[in-house]
Amino acid sequence: MRRATAPLRWLRFTLLLASAWATLIPSQPAKAHAFLDHALPAVGSTVHALPGAVRLWFTEEIEPAFSSVRVQDSAGKEVDRGDSRVDAADPRVLTASLPSLAPGTYRVVWRVVSVDTHVTQGDFTFDVAR
Ligand SMILES: [Cu+2]
């Protein structure tokens, strides 16, 4: 009867391997997904001198036709100049011009399609100080 435990052990070991593999998969991002690397204004930052544009750097090149960013005020109203575009000189950079903004909290909302056609999206805020 004890012989039956060998296949059981093997099964348990296989299941353990499978679950270990399953937990590993999310930590291995598909290579060409475009994730936000960094931004200006920086994520969660407080700026005193507002740059004339918001700039987002992604980990991969993005598709200009399907990638956009907008900036909203605390009421959700779009405040950028509506000219969201991929930087001609750097296909990993998404940018949109900003007018001068009153002090307050602003939300940057982005959605991009990387060159492998996968969609990623996200948002973050920054504060304009008095
Ligand atoms: Cu991808």
Side-chain angles (χ1 to χ4, degrees):
M1 283 306 228
R2 286 197 75 75
R3 278 177 178 277
T5 61
L8 249 174
R9 268 192 204 141
W10 184 83
L11 180 66
R12 225 178 279 152
F13 179 69
T14 307
L15 287 173
L16 189 74
L17 269 186
S19 67
W21 175 246
T23 59
L24 273 176
I25 288 171
S27 66
Q28 297 175 326
K31 215 177 170 188
H33 279 59
F35 294 106
L36 182 64
D37 186 64
H38 63 286
L40 265 182
V43 174
S45 66
T46 297
V47 293
H48 294 268
L50 190 71
V54 62
R55 284 177 76 79
L56 285 74
W57 282 261
F58 289 90
T59 55
E60 304 291 335
E61 295 186 10
I62 55 179
E63 287 288 351
F66 305 106
S67 302
S68 65
V69 59
R70 60 184 194 277
V71 181
Q72 303 169 338
D73 65 15
S74 54
K77 179 177 169 261
E78 186 168 357
V79 296
D80 59 85
R81 293 197 190 277
D83 60 350
S84 167
R85 64 201 179 277
V86 173
D87 192 310
D90 188 343
R92 295 180 184 208
V93 175
L94 188 59
T95 182
S97 303
L98 293 174
S100 71
L101 295 173
T105 300
Y106 295 89
R107 182 171 297 276
V108 179
V109 183
W110 57 267
R111 184 179 191 277
V112 303
V113 175
S114 53
V115 290
D116 70 344
T117 73
H118 291 141
V119 178
T120 49
Q121 56 193 317
D123 64 271
F124 64 89
T125 60
F126 66 85
D127 287 301
V128 175
R130 248 169 227 296

